[in-house]
Amino acid sequence: MENALLEGVFDIVRGHFRDRMNRELPVRTWRTPAELAEILKVSVDESGMDADELISTIDTYLSECVRTQHPHFFQPLWGGLSEAGLAGEIATVLSNTSIYTWEIAPAATLIELEMVATLGRFAGWEHTDGTFTSGGSNSNMLALLLARDRYFPNAMNEGIDGRKIAVFVSAESHYSLLMSAHVLGIGNQGVIKIETNERGEMKSDVLRNEIAKARSSGRTPICVVATTGTTVRGAFDSIDLLADVCRDEDLWLHVDAALGAPCLFSPKYKHLMAGIERADSLTWDPHKLMGVPLTCSILLTPHAGALGESCSYIKSAHYLFHEPGEEYDLGRKSLQCGRRVDALKLWIEWKSCGTSGWSERVERYVELAIELENLINDHPDLELVCERAFTNVCLRYRGAMSDENEINLFNEKLRQQMVRKGDFMVSLAKVGDRTVLRPVICNPAIDLESLTEFIDEIIRIASSID
Ligand SMILES: Cc1ncc(COP(=O)(O)O)c(C=O)c1O
């Protein structure tokens, strides 16, 4: 049969897609690396396989993957897979193009430009420049690069001793900011972590003091990073308060809204992003709360030309950029040369659900997070460790224990047993010194039943730990 491999793979894909929310299946089957290597037949051989063997190999691979679309998958800040998202991803793969020039990717270019401009309008910007990146971590790095180049415009040509630079972030910010400082030559010591209040929001008075301290110690502050939707607690820094500081101190304001940006779609929750129009740059990850297939992240900025100045290598890349219309050659404002068309799946999903679909998704997730919070508060053995701000919920099993160390170790054990059993997946994290389970509602398959089953599972496992 013509295309026998593809026909077989499509059948398997249909089956796995149909089963993706099947509660009867485990989220994950626990195996040792050696066991899995054998099941997968992970080594490659001198001779190739025929279509049937390849189909069975792909089936085995998919069966051994964690079911990230399962109603019991609460682990990272993403989950699920919609039909529209998958369709968009299939079209991306099929076109197999790289979005650096208009010449080679015309339709993709228009779609990326449209997505950047539209998301920028939600941030309140009339004109927006932006680029899709390989993830929120890289969007954050690009933002710090723009900030660095604003204050040290010669850095691109002359290089820079970044040890004198200071960047200010929330003590609860994502580690990618440290990584970015490392890559940009600023170093981790140049990242000053600002204490947060009891709700997990950066304290702006402490920020002002730290900026003054950094200046008097000879550092040059360049940037404040607000996080809206912190990784563990889902807390939202006040953009307005931090924008006031940046205005007074002449600093770049980057907003890491990798998780929280979709609030801008919701009349009910957009207040959480109040002040976003005052930011200099914004990280927005549609692969998180919006459920667009991984990876899909965008760095947006209202400063026309800033990305081009930091990323354009038009003279050196004479073999790539041939047309004068720079606005349509998107490789001129990216840190990548070859780049996937991640805008397509976002566009297809948006065409499918409409803007109202995004707003409904945000509101449904928050409602479910409130339900989970209520279930925890109603249970005598469970404790909500901090106030819920968004779709992240931080809890722990407490039972009759009072020793903090004992409670921490108990919760570590509990989670380990949960994941090995394979019916639920959830993250372990720290809030201060307390170890918490951090379920996040970022998966369209999660419903009320998943929440009650999750609580039951915690209690079941806790009662089996001696
Ligand atoms: C607040 C925040 N920013 C950035 C990132 C990094 O995103 P990515 O995993 O897409 O690199 C994360 C990841 O969880 C995050 O929570």
Side-chain angles (χ1 to χ4, degrees):
M1 185 174 49
E2 206 185 339
N3 296 333
L5 172 58
L6 271 193
E7 294 301 330
V9 169
F10 285 143
D11 280 346
I12 288 172
V13 166
R14 273 190 212 100
H16 281 274
F17 191 72
R18 244 190 330 265
D19 269 347
R20 73 198 190 286
M21 295 195 251
N22 184 348
R23 287 186 144 84
E24 304 303 314
L25 294 171
V27 182
R28 146 166 209 153
T29 308
W30 190 265
R31 315 233 189 248
T32 65
E35 280 165 359
L36 187 54
E38 200 173 321
I39 292 168
L40 278 179
K41 301 190 182 73
V42 78
S43 61
V44 285
D45 298 324
E46 192 62 31
S47 54
M49 286 178 162
D50 63 21
D52 284 343
E53 287 170 309
L54 285 171
I55 292 164
S56 138
T57 300
I58 291 170
D59 192 21
T60 306
Y61 169 78
L62 288 173
S63 305
E64 292 298 326
C65 282
V66 169
R67 293 190 171 80
T68 60
Q69 297 123 54
H70 196 288
H72 296 172
F73 183 69
F74 296 90
Q75 184 150 331
L77 305 182
W78 50 269
L81 177 65
S82 73
E83 207 172 342
L86 178 59
E89 190 67 298
I90 289 171
T92 307
V93 172
L94 192 65
S95 68
N96 194 31
T97 196
S98 179
I99 188 168
Y100 33 46
T101 59
W102 166 260
E103 198 171 87
I104 212 160
T109 300
L110 283 191
I111 290 167
E112 174 157 325
L113 285 169
E114 181 66 20
M115 291 295 89
V116 164
T118 307
L119 292 174
R121 277 196 293 279
F122 277 94
W125 299 328
E126 209 171 310
H127 299 290
T128 307
D129 218 349
T131 185
F132 283 64
T133 71
S134 63
S137 303
N138 273 38
S139 292
N140 282 343
M141 186 178 76
L142 190 48
L144 291 195
L145 177 70
L146 296 186
R148 192 200 72 177
D149 287 354
R150 173 194 268 185
Y151 296 95
F152 295 92
N154 295 331
M156 187 175 188
N157 288 322
E158 295 172 3
I160 192 168
D161 179 352
R163 283 176 296 179
K164 292 279 179 229
I165 292 178
V167 171
F168 301 84
V169 306
S170 157
E172 304 192 25
S173 60
H174 190 255
Y175 76 90
S176 56
L177 294 161
L178 290 169
M179 182 90 80
S180 305
H182 167 201
V183 175
L184 294 172
I186 296 170
N188 289 347
Q189 287 176 5
V191 178
I192 311 219
K193 293 191 172 179
I194 306 298
E195 192 186 323
T196 52
N197 64 19
E198 65 292 347
R199 289 189 304 279
E201 302 155 1
M202 214 196 294
K203 290 183 177 170
S204 65
D205 50 341
V206 176
L207 171 63
R208 284 185 192 270
N209 287 341
E210 290 295 333
I211 292 171
K213 262 176 34 197
R215 286 199 201 282
S216 62
S217 72
R219 284 191 183 266
T220 305
I222 59 165
C223 179
V224 173
V225 180
T227 307
T228 50
T230 57
T231 310
V232 176
R233 299 172 60 164
F236 280 65
D237 286 333
S238 162
I239 301 173
D240 262 326
L241 278 181
L242 303 185
D244 287 348
V245 177
C246 288
R247 178 202 55 209
D248 296 346
E249 299 280 349
D250 182 28
L251 298 178
W252 184 282
L253 175 62
H254 173 59
V255 178
D256 177 0
L259 177 64
C263 288
L264 290 167
F265 294 123
S266 157
K268 208 165 162 188
Y269 294 109
K270 70 177 177 199
H271 67 274
L272 291 169
M273 293 285 292
I276 186 61
E277 69 287 352
R278 301 173 66 192
D280 294 294
S281 54
L282 162 65
T283 291
W284 188 325
D285 284 5
H287 69 218
K288 291 196 166 68
L289 198 103
M290 290 162 72
V292 174
L294 290 159
T295 56
C296 190
S297 173
I298 309 151
L299 186 276
L300 301 160
T301 174
H303 300 297
L307 278 168
E309 276 161 34
S310 289
C311 304
S312 186
Y313 282 87
I314 170 90
K315 287 205 186 90
S316 306
H318 47 80
Y319 37 76
L320 186 60
F321 300 110
H322 307 301
E323 297 290 327
E326 56 184 63
E327 143 193 28
Y328 291 102
D329 281 349
L330 302 187
R332 298 171 193 237
K333 44 189 171 181
S334 168
L335 289 178
Q336 290 171 247
C337 173
R339 187 161 63 93
R340 293 186 94 240
V341 182
D342 287 331
L344 179 61
K345 57 202 172 187
L346 170 62
W347 184 67
I348 295 286
E349 185 122 24
W350 203 322
K351 290 257 182 208
S352 162
C353 70
T355 307
S356 61
W358 298 134
S359 156
E360 280 158 23
R361 195 167 298 188
V362 171
E363 292 175 13
R364 179 165 175 269
Y365 286 171
V366 178
E367 273 163 31
L368 283 168
I370 294 170
E371 294 287 352
L372 180 56
E373 186 181 18
N374 291 339
L375 288 171
I376 295 160
N377 282 332
D378 287 348
H379 201 290
D381 291 330
L382 299 179
E383 184 177 67
L384 198 68
V385 172
C386 54
E387 208 178 295
R388 182 203 53 79
F390 192 42
T391 63
N392 307 25
V393 180
C394 296
L395 76 139
R396 63 182 184 173
Y397 182 91
R398 186 168 187 143
M401 292 175 285
S402 56
D403 179 74
E404 285 295 320
N405 217 12
E406 188 190 355
I407 304 174
N408 285 350
L409 289 174
F410 189 92
N411 281 277
E412 276 170 35
K413 215 184 226 180
L414 193 156
R415 187 200 97 106
Q416 192 189 51
Q417 293 198 9
M418 182 182 282
V419 174
R420 292 202 178 199
K421 187 161 168 259
D423 292 326
F424 287 82
M425 281 188 78
V426 68
S427 278
L428 195 71
K430 285 270 184 199
V431 173
D433 292 331
R434 288 168 294 176
T435 299
V436 299
L437 305 176
R438 186 217 54 180
V440 185
I441 316 292
C442 253
N443 165 4
I446 296 176
D447 56 14
L448 268 177
E449 195 183 335
S450 319
L451 304 181
T452 48
E453 287 169 343
F454 175 59
I455 298 290
D456 291 347
E457 179 79 342
I458 295 177
I459 301 303
R460 219 173 6 251
I461 295 176
S463 64
S464 71
I465 298 175
D466 39 34

